[in-house]
Amino acid sequence: MQLDGRSNNILEELINNPSINSKDVEKKYNITRRQLGYSFNKINDWLTDKNLPEIERTKQGHFIIDPKIFSKLTEQDVSPVDMNILSEKQRVYMIVMMLLSNEELSLIHFTSELEVSKNTILSDMKRAQDYVSDYEIAIRYSRRFGYLLEGKEFHIRKLLTQVTSKILDMNNGESWIRRLADIEEAEISELSNRIDKVENKLNLKFTDEKITSMPYTLSLVLRRIKQGKKISSFYIKYEELSDTKEYLATEEILYDIEDIPVEERMFITLHLLTINVYWSEFLTEETIPNLLQALDDMLRLFEKRACILLQDKEQLLNKLLLHVKPAYYRIKYQLTEVNDNEDMVSKEFKELHHLVKQSTTPLSDLIGTRIPESETTYLTMLIGGWLTRQGDSIQEKVKAIVVCPKGVSVSRLMLSELRDLFPEFVFLDSLSVREFQTYSLDYEIVFSPIFLETEKKLFIANSFLEREEKYRLRKQVMMELHGYIPFDINVEDLIEIVKKHAVIEDEQKLSKELFGYINPDTGTSVRDQQLDRPTASLSELITPNKVTLKKSVDSWEEAIRTSAKPLVESGHIEPDYVEAMIMHCEKDPYIVIGPNIAIPHAAPDEGVNDVSMSLLILEEGVNFTEDYTINLVIVIAAVDKQKHLKALMQLMKLAGSEEDRTALTNASTVEEAYTIIKKYSNE
């Protein structure tokens, strides 16, 4: 790591004048006590990175410096930073900052400012073009105006915010920005004072990084406004932000600055709303209803997937709320930072990150869009730190994957069944064979209905497991992993015993409570199961008006279209979904789940409006491939990974009964077919 300019100066001061105290440092460098604390932490982080002891600070404000620090930094002439050498990436940030804050720039401006050759600048300009393209911005050159940025002003503001932070993280970053953008120190000081008042007004404290960057960001934004580079149209309605405390704070910052349009005031309000805080007096949902509930649901899903019970969850929720409230606005209004490769999650946390990512559905549903990678990474860091604190680790748990060639729905069904069978394992994914061949996460066990080439432990298991098969598979896995067969209490067996001696009023509820009692440490509670619990039964999805009887069709494509017709007409799926199913069938013949029966389906985002199923019964079968003739075509339209699984499990049981499968094939009326379907809907 590197030190910023202020921290570097303070470290040199401490080495040259170790008797100096905190107040003298604050006075000499014109910084606040808080800014000194921030730099002091940076210095100790840098020393730790160099395997040197940390500097201690007494309550009286004196510094205790280990002699090793003096010898290391003087005898070996190790300077904390080299102020003159810029990396390629840093030069790119400098070029972009000059383009953001100046007009009519030529190559000479860049070469003289950065003190490099013309060819170096031309090479850096290409890298700068690649960098700004991630923000949907281009760098253009004309003889009349020189180099300039071209793109929507909202995207340019997003770039401005990120580049300002990047340069401030560099050595002597504040000096660089003031020099490149020609900003007076007095202007930054005035804006800093106003922001201090804002903190008091909002009853919160911004992070030190943001406190440093906010005055520079506001200064550059105000300059662009004065240059006439304004946000012309804003998709945020005034009513959404005008009643927030942040909007009142914006008015306070801009109280004497004239000609600031409402759109610009809204943008600055949004900037305040998206800034990370490390403390807040009030953690409320006044502006984001249901946020706390979404975070709670997210943690419960994580506990279920990671087989871990989070301790002191209320404190963790408060930490998450501090981060996620500003993240909510960043995500909703596309202000999330574009990730650099170095910002990606570390290798040791890859599996944890994967599980956190799978658990963010409640949060993404609340915001109305997917959670960006950079925000998920931060959630991983928070939750990972919490697990380390309580002494838990995903790395210590048995991690498994499911590889199934029989299509998405069947593989997810298999994953659901195995997750229930092995609650002590972490199941990372259900994969196709092709996905398995390039899978990068770490795992120990593979479950699959087919043989696979793998160095990991492979257990062959049917796509749909009957009760006895489950028992045998669990014994086999536990014996091979641990060398013994654990004494497992089977909830289904308990229910059967209770039935012999008592009347059960609610079997499902009893089953869940018994499971929670027998497995208290798996991180799975009754409520956890309900979060993802499939609700619709087979007869609730395949209703009589979704059943079609026909003598024959000319092709399997026509079979899919005929079966799907009731769902298109009712608005459950779009016509595009039908074509997507046909396309997937051409690539993947594994939609056949049993003799004479097929379940064509596609992805939820390919035209599904609501979870649904439909059935086509053909008197004369249709050829799906050279190997299969199909009489029963069940179209499945899923909106997520869970809501259709109960019905699918019931369908798999029906498919496994030769007697009922034949009876359904030979049904002469819709009512007769529906009677057979209802038979499996209470399973």
Side-chain angles (χ1 to χ4, degrees):
M1 63 171 290
Q2 292 180 319
L3 287 177
D4 59 80
R6 184 176 69 199
S7 301
N8 174 69
N9 292 335
I10 292 171
L11 177 55
E12 288 186 342
E13 182 68 41
L14 293 179
I15 292 170
N16 295 324
N17 184 14
S19 62
I20 195 169
N21 61 35
S22 295
K23 287 185 178 178
D24 290 337
V25 173
E26 291 167 17
K27 186 176 180 180
K28 181 170 183 176
Y29 292 97
N30 191 28
I31 57 176
T32 65
R33 183 180 178 185
R34 178 173 164 183
Q35 288 172 320
L36 175 59
Y38 175 59
S39 286
F40 188 69
N41 290 335
K42 283 267 191 179
I43 290 167
N44 278 335
D45 287 343
W46 184 86
L47 290 170
T48 301
D49 193 51
K50 300 293 181 185
N51 295 316
L52 291 171
E54 294 185 355
I55 297 173
E56 296 180 37
R57 184 166 52 160
T58 68
K59 291 182 179 179
Q60 291 75 34
H62 296 290
F63 299 95
I64 302 174
I65 306 175
D66 193 288
K68 291 180 182 177
I69 297 174
F70 291 104
S71 60
K72 187 75 172 177
L73 297 183
T74 55
E75 289 176 14
Q76 296 186 19
D77 194 28
V78 177
S79 176
V81 293
D82 188 334
M83 302 295 289
N84 299 313
I85 300 174
L86 295 173
S87 68
E88 290 177 351
K89 186 174 287 188
Q90 288 172 334
R91 290 200 303 272
V92 165
Y93 298 148
M94 302 289 194
I95 288 170
V96 173
M97 177 55 67
M98 291 177 69
L99 291 168
L100 284 164
S101 49
N102 299 282
E103 296 178 321
E104 298 184 4
L105 293 170
S106 67
L107 278 179
I108 296 174
H109 289 96
F110 297 111
T111 55
S112 60
E113 193 66 67
L114 301 181
E115 298 179 356
V116 292
S117 68
K118 177 181 176 182
N119 287 337
T120 299
I121 289 296
L122 288 172
S123 179
D124 289 341
M125 195 65 76
K126 291 178 181 178
R127 294 187 183 93
Q129 175 64 74
D130 291 338
Y131 177 67
V132 302
S133 65
D134 288 337
Y135 296 83
E136 300 179 44
I137 298 167
I139 298 174
R140 302 292 185 213
Y141 174 78
S142 72
R143 290 186 177 182
R144 182 178 178 186
F145 298 109
Y147 287 94
L148 51 84
L149 293 173
E150 205 172 77
K152 292 183 178 178
E153 184 62 22
F154 186 84
H155 295 157
I156 291 175
R157 299 289 179 82
K158 181 178 176 181
L159 175 66
L160 181 154
T161 303
Q162 303 304 339
V163 169
T164 301
S165 295
K166 295 290 187 186
I167 295 179
L168 287 171
D169 284 340
M170 291 167 45
N171 305 326
N172 213 19
E174 291 187 62
S175 297
W176 271 115
I177 289 187
R178 287 198 297 269
R179 174 176 154 187
L180 294 170
D182 193 23
I183 298 175
E184 295 293 332
E185 196 166 342
E187 181 184 356
I188 297 301
S189 179
E190 172 62 24
L191 286 171
S192 295
N193 291 334
R194 296 189 184 198
I195 291 166
D196 283 340
K197 292 179 182 178
V198 162
E199 281 189 305
N200 296 328
K201 194 176 187 72
L202 297 181
N203 293 307
L204 54 77
K205 293 291 182 185
F206 298 118
T207 60
D208 289 298
E209 291 94 335
K210 297 302 180 184
I211 278 292
T212 302
S213 66
M214 282 169 66
Y216 290 98
T217 302
L218 288 172
S219 173
L220 292 168
V221 165
L222 292 171
R223 176 181 297 184
R224 291 189 69 83
I225 294 171
K226 288 177 182 176
Q227 291 173 346
K229 297 167 183 174
K230 301 175 183 178
I231 296 175
S232 55
S233 60
F234 212 22
Y235 51 85
I236 303 175
K237 294 180 180 177
Y238 176 81
E239 295 78 15
E240 287 187 64
L241 304 183
S242 60
D243 61 347
T244 63
K245 289 185 295 183
E246 285 78 2
Y247 186 79
L248 295 176
T250 299
E251 293 297 291
E252 188 166 307
I253 291 173
L254 305 176
Y255 75 92
D256 61 345
I257 302 175
E258 298 178 355
D259 300 324
I260 306 295
V262 171
E263 290 86 359
E264 296 293 353
R265 294 171 187 272
M266 299 300 285
F267 176 82
I268 294 171
T269 300
L270 188 56
H271 181 65
L272 290 178
L273 282 164
T274 59
I275 291 174
N276 284 337
V277 296
Y278 77 85
W279 174 85
S280 177
E281 183 177 346
F282 304 108
L283 285 174
T284 67
E285 294 186 273
E286 56 188 17
T287 53
I288 313 174
N290 304 317
L291 178 58
L292 195 60
Q293 184 62 56
L295 289 173
D296 189 38
D297 288 347
M298 182 186 80
L299 289 183
R300 290 177 181 276
L301 282 177
F302 172 77
E303 286 179 310
K304 180 178 178 181
R305 287 179 165 85
C307 303
I308 283 176
L309 193 62
L310 291 165
Q311 299 168 12
D312 301 321
K313 197 186 295 183
E314 201 67 33
Q315 292 180 38
L316 177 57
L317 275 171
N318 285 340
K319 277 184 170 290
L320 287 170
L321 195 59
L322 271 175
H323 169 71
V324 173
K325 185 181 177 184
Y328 172 91
Y329 292 99
R330 286 198 298 269
I331 297 165
K332 186 172 182 179
Y333 299 114
Q334 296 91 49
L335 286 169
T336 299
E337 181 176 354
V338 177
N339 250 10
D340 290 336
N341 290 332
E342 67 216 36
D343 294 330
M344 299 302 286
V345 70
S346 61
K347 184 179 184 297
E348 64 206 85
F349 283 127
K350 270 192 172 182
E351 288 74 36
L352 175 66
H353 180 67
H354 186 69
L355 295 171
V356 170
K357 195 172 183 177
Q358 289 179 331
S359 306
T360 56
T361 305
L363 191 57
S364 61
D365 287 346
L366 176 70
I367 300 174
T369 186
R370 71 174 188 84
I371 309 301
E373 191 68 17
S374 58
E375 302 290 356
T376 309
T377 298
Y378 197 86
L379 291 173
T380 300
M381 291 164 58
L382 283 173
I383 294 173
W386 203 259
L387 291 179
T388 301
R389 179 185 128 173
Q390 70 179 47
D392 273 311
S393 172
I394 297 295
Q395 301 302 111
E396 297 171 2
K397 292 186 174 292
V398 175
K399 294 181 286 295
I401 59 172
V402 176
V403 181
C404 180
K406 296 189 176 181
V408 176
S409 290
V410 176
S411 65
R412 286 175 181 166
L413 171 62
M414 190 176 175
L415 174 66
S416 179
E417 292 267 273
L418 289 169
R419 189 176 270 156
D420 289 342
L421 185 59
F422 297 98
E424 61 273 81
F425 293 176
V426 176
F427 281 87
L428 297 172
D429 270 306
S430 61
L431 309 167
S432 69
V433 176
R434 286 187 294 272
E435 289 170 332
F436 168 68
Q437 290 167 350
T438 58
Y439 195 63
S440 61
L441 297 182
D442 188 33
Y443 58 91
E444 291 86 40
I445 295 177
V446 185
F447 291 98
S448 178
I450 62 172
F451 178 79
L452 298 166
E453 289 286 345
T454 177
E455 296 177 356
K456 304 297 174 75
K457 292 185 182 296
L458 172 66
F459 294 97
I460 304 296
N462 289 330
S463 303
F464 176 75
L465 295 167
E466 293 290 352
R467 184 174 168 183
E468 286 303 315
E469 290 177 288
K470 289 180 182 178
Y471 180 69
R472 285 197 300 271
L473 180 62
R474 182 163 174 82
K475 283 205 305 183
Q476 178 194 356
V477 172
M478 291 305 181
M479 178 62 77
E480 189 157 337
L481 283 185
H482 305 297
Y484 68 92
I485 301 172
F487 178 69
D488 290 326
I489 301 174
N490 188 291
V491 173
E492 293 180 9
D493 291 339
L494 283 180
I495 295 289
E496 291 303 316
I497 294 171
V498 173
K499 278 182 179 178
K500 292 178 182 178
H501 304 283
V503 176
I504 300 174
E505 292 184 0
D506 191 331
E507 185 175 324
Q508 192 177 42
K509 187 175 180 180
L510 176 61
S511 175
K512 284 180 181 176
E513 289 193 21
L514 284 173
F515 183 86
Y517 177 74
I518 295 168
N519 304 281
D521 298 323
T522 61
T524 306
S525 67
V526 172
R527 187 178 168 194
D528 293 334
Q529 296 178 38
Q530 289 175 336
L531 282 171
D532 267 347
R533 184 170 60 85
T535 54
S537 67
L538 189 61
S539 62
E540 289 172 326
L541 292 182
I542 304 182
T543 52
N545 62 333
K546 303 293 191 305
V547 178
T548 305
L549 275 65
K550 197 164 184 179
K551 183 176 178 61
S552 64
V553 292
D554 293 333
S555 65
W556 58 265
E557 294 94 338
E558 185 186 346
I560 292 175
R561 291 191 177 98
T562 303
S563 182
K565 187 177 179 182
L567 301 183
V568 175
E569 291 177 346
S570 61
H572 285 86
I573 62 175
E574 299 295 329
D576 288 348
Y577 186 75
V578 181
E579 300 310 312
M581 284 191 291
I582 292 171
M583 181 188 72
H584 288 301
C585 289
E586 289 174 342
K587 296 178 180 178
D588 183 5
Y590 297 111
I591 62 168
V592 177
I593 61 169
N596 302 339
I597 186 167
I599 51 167
H601 55 275
D605 60 2
E606 293 182 287
V608 179
N609 297 321
D610 194 13
V611 59
S612 51
M613 296 172 74
S614 60
L615 166 64
L616 169 65
I617 302 174
L618 294 170
E619 186 179 331
E620 298 176 7
V622 62
N623 291 330
F624 255 73
T625 65
E626 293 179 359
D627 303 319
Y628 299 108
T629 300
I630 302 300
N631 295 85
L632 304 173
V633 181
I634 298 98
V635 165
I636 297 176
V639 292
D640 58 25
K641 296 181 179 180
Q642 299 294 332
K643 290 181 181 176
H644 67 299
L645 287 187
K646 180 178 179 181
L648 183 58
M649 290 171 70
Q650 293 166 349
L651 175 62
M652 295 293 283
K653 287 186 178 181
L654 194 163
S657 168
E658 184 178 353
E659 180 183 345
D660 288 323
R661 191 176 64 245
T662 302
L664 189 61
T665 302
N666 295 330
S668 56
T669 65
V670 169
E671 291 73 20
E672 189 180 336
Y674 191 61
T675 299
I676 299 168
I677 291 168
K678 283 197 295 183
K679 176 181 174 181
Y680 286 86
S681 295
N682 296 321
E683 297 269 337

